[in-house]
Amino acid sequence: MKEKLFKKADFNKFAAGDSHFEKTLTRGNLISMGIGAIIGTGIFILPGIVSYGTAGPAITISFILAAVVCILTAMCFAELSSTFPVAGSTYSYGSIIFGQFPGWLIGWALCLEYILGVSAVSSGFSAYFVSLFNSFGVILPKAVIGPFDPAKGTFINLPSIIVLILIYLLFRRGIQASARMNTVMVFVKLSVIIAFIVIGIFYIKPENYHPYFPMGGFGVVKGAALVFFAYLGFDVIPSSAPEVKNPQKNIPISIMVSLTVCAVLYVIFSAVLTGMVNYQDLNFSDPVVYALTSVKLGKAAFLITIGALAGMFTMMLNTVYGGSRLIYALGRDGMIPNAFGKIDEKAKMPILSLNAITILAILLGGFVSLKELTSLVNIGTLLSFTFVAYGIIKLRHRTDVPKSDFKVPLYPWIPILSVILCILLMTQVSINSWIAFLAWFAIGIIIYFAYGYRKVN
């Protein structure tokens, strides 16, 4: 039984199974995809919520700490993705390096990231969508603009559901149509973010930065665990490997460029936001709009809302894409029914996998609150990142795998440090989130032994 559980997957078999995809994505597409997947809820919502309840103005340091963890892990992702340019990202790497049962657990954790991630962003999208309507004096019925919470008078988050349906319809038009839309939206949101920074600098009040550490160093570390969600998405780039031209070179470069650009923007953006408004006044789901309104810039707030909507739209677009490729990979390998691993000949994409992640995201985004979703996403992602970093150490001892064009520098210290920091951030997540995550893991183990275990050759 042990041999079957830890049997290493065959990289060549994965590559052969992915050969039905068309290689259409360029380095520019990947960088745009990375920025599109990363910048969304993290920059337009989390700086307000986390600075108010956890880190204060020191949220800038929280963003830097979270960025360090992500950059270290991104280097490990870059080496693995250039060594194994196959669909499935962390799941496929885990199956090849650790064995198929550990790979399944990693993939199951990654499912949590993708499904809950896109659901959480759809909830944030809804908040800004409602704010946009409010700016025109149109008040949407409370019952249809929030998660299921009868005590507060909300029953369904209709804007969240509608935007997910629109993204699904866009994907059905083909990957190139989605890539073009993503590029346009990324340009819009970067323009809006830069405009906010330039305008906001003139309204910074130095007294808003005092006290800088209202919750001490512990608040900074806990804040880093929360804003870590803001950096999620760069792992969608290696998920696209079978559809990338020259993936061994383009994927590592695209991961590092997109993550670095986003980290710089996050730090500057949060510094300007907490300088404009005291952190104790930022407990809003649309803190950027509140900040601009508070300094009498209502028209600029309208533009920020448009940018925020564009940002969250691209984040959902890319997360749905990455999640559908992960579900496809699980079906390709027989971990779930093989029908999920089939490529539609006309659309050149795994339609059933796309259907599955869209339906799950609609159910969660339409009925569950944003806060509950983001905490669970962080645990699943940090766990998969821990395996990625440790996987580099295991990979360097393998002689039966292809040679990578990219090597993690300062080996083995960077992978080791990445593992330590990921575990540190995991300890900062609430006990309720851990209980829910362990329940998710238990379900995954049951599914594996009831179905996937019997399919391992």
Side-chain angles (χ1 to χ4, degrees):
M1 180 178 180
K2 182 179 179 181
E3 289 183 2
K4 193 172 182 179
L5 287 175
F6 295 94
K7 181 181 178 181
K8 308 293 191 297
D10 184 354
F11 160 67
N12 294 316
K13 183 179 178 181
F14 283 178
D18 294 342
S19 61
H20 299 290
F21 286 107
E22 288 185 317
K23 292 186 177 294
T24 58
L25 299 177
T26 64
R27 182 182 300 176
N29 290 144
L30 292 182
I31 293 174
S32 178
M33 182 184 293
I35 295 174
I38 297 170
I39 295 182
T41 307
I43 197 166
F44 292 109
I45 295 179
L46 288 182
I49 296 173
V50 177
S51 62
Y52 168 80
T54 308
I59 188 175
T60 51
I61 300 178
S62 296
F63 269 116
I64 292 172
L65 179 57
V68 169
V69 176
C70 282
I71 289 172
L72 293 177
T73 308
M75 291 182 188
C76 301
F77 258 106
E79 180 168 341
L80 287 173
S81 61
S82 62
T83 304
F84 309 117
V86 293
S89 186
T90 317
Y91 155 70
S92 294
Y93 309 150
S95 298
I96 296 169
I97 295 173
F98 298 105
Q100 295 198 348
F101 179 57
W104 162 258
L105 293 179
I106 297 168
W108 190 243
L110 198 58
C111 281
L112 195 68
E113 173 193 341
Y114 283 128
I115 296 170
L116 297 189
V118 70
S119 304
V121 178
S122 71
S123 296
F125 181 94
S126 177
Y128 271 86
F129 185 80
V130 171
S131 176
L132 178 64
F133 269 75
N134 290 346
S135 68
F136 289 106
V138 178
I139 308 300
L140 298 176
K142 185 178 180 181
V144 297
I145 59 172
F148 184 76
D149 190 351
K152 295 183 179 179
T154 58
F155 295 89
I156 185 173
N157 199 331
L158 200 55
S160 172
I161 292 174
I162 291 172
V163 71
L164 290 170
I165 293 173
L166 291 176
I167 286 171
Y168 172 79
L169 295 175
L170 179 61
F171 270 117
R172 290 302 299 261
R173 296 186 61 188
I175 186 64
Q176 277 301 312
S178 304
R180 286 192 292 270
M181 175 64 77
N182 180 69
T183 300
V184 172
M185 290 289 195
V186 166
F187 176 78
V188 170
K189 70 178 175 182
L190 287 181
S191 300
V192 169
I193 289 168
I194 292 171
F196 170 78
I197 291 172
V198 172
I199 294 171
I201 286 175
F202 295 98
Y203 293 90
I204 290 176
K205 299 178 181 178
E207 59 268 24
N208 286 333
Y209 292 128
H210 301 287
Y212 195 71
F213 297 95
M215 290 81 170
F218 176 77
V220 172
V221 175
K222 188 174 182 180
L226 294 174
V227 302
F228 183 79
F229 176 80
Y231 290 102
L232 304 188
F234 70 85
D235 52 330
V236 75
I237 296 177
S239 294
S240 65
E243 297 163 270
V244 176
K245 298 176 180 178
N246 194 6
Q248 288 83 359
K249 290 185 179 296
N250 287 332
I251 290 178
I253 293 173
S254 301
I255 290 174
M256 299 310 298
V257 170
S258 58
L259 189 56
T260 301
V261 168
C262 294
V264 171
L265 287 175
Y266 280 163
V267 172
I268 298 175
F269 191 93
S270 59
V272 171
L273 179 65
T274 53
M276 291 175 66
V277 181
N278 188 283
Y279 76 93
Q280 293 177 319
D281 298 326
L282 286 175
N283 189 28
F284 293 93
S285 57
D286 52 354
V288 182
V289 172
Y290 173 78
L292 288 171
T293 303
S294 68
V295 295
K296 312 301 181 184
L297 292 175
K299 293 182 179 180
F302 170 77
L303 294 177
I304 291 296
T305 301
I306 297 299
L309 291 172
M312 286 179 274
F313 185 88
T314 59
M315 191 176 182
M316 287 183 285
L317 187 72
N318 289 289
T319 305
V320 168
Y321 170 84
S324 68
R325 270 45 179 183
L326 171 63
I327 295 173
Y328 151 80
L330 295 173
R332 174 198 65 192
D333 303 338
M335 296 293 103
I336 57 177
N338 293 106
F340 289 98
K342 301 295 183 182
I343 303 296
D344 184 273
E345 290 298 324
K346 183 179 180 180
K348 299 297 182 183
M349 65 174 63
I351 295 296
L352 189 57
S353 297
L354 177 63
N355 293 346
I357 190 171
T358 302
I359 292 171
L360 289 171
I362 284 174
L363 291 174
L364 291 170
F367 298 97
V368 183
S369 74
L370 176 68
K371 184 177 180 181
E372 292 170 348
L373 292 171
T374 54
S375 294
L376 276 174
V377 174
N378 288 349
I379 298 177
T381 307
L382 284 166
L383 181 65
S384 67
F385 282 9
T386 301
F387 275 101
V388 165
Y390 181 56
I392 294 298
I393 297 173
K394 298 281 287 184
L395 177 65
R396 294 291 181 92
H397 291 88
R398 295 278 293 272
T399 58
D400 60 333
V401 296
K403 297 297 181 183
S404 171
D405 290 336
F406 178 88
K407 297 288 186 183
V408 175
L410 301 177
Y411 174 85
W413 303 114
I414 283 183
I416 291 173
L417 182 59
S418 179
V419 168
I420 293 171
L421 290 175
C422 284
I423 293 174
L424 174 64
L425 292 186
M426 288 171 72
T427 63
Q428 302 304 307
V429 180
S430 71
I431 187 65
N432 289 336
S433 296
W434 267 108
I435 292 172
F437 176 74
L438 292 175
W440 172 263
F441 239 47
I443 294 171
I445 292 172
I446 292 171
I447 292 174
Y448 178 81
F449 283 103
Y451 189 89
Y453 178 76
R454 296 183 288 108
K455 300 291 183 177
V456 177
N457 297 321

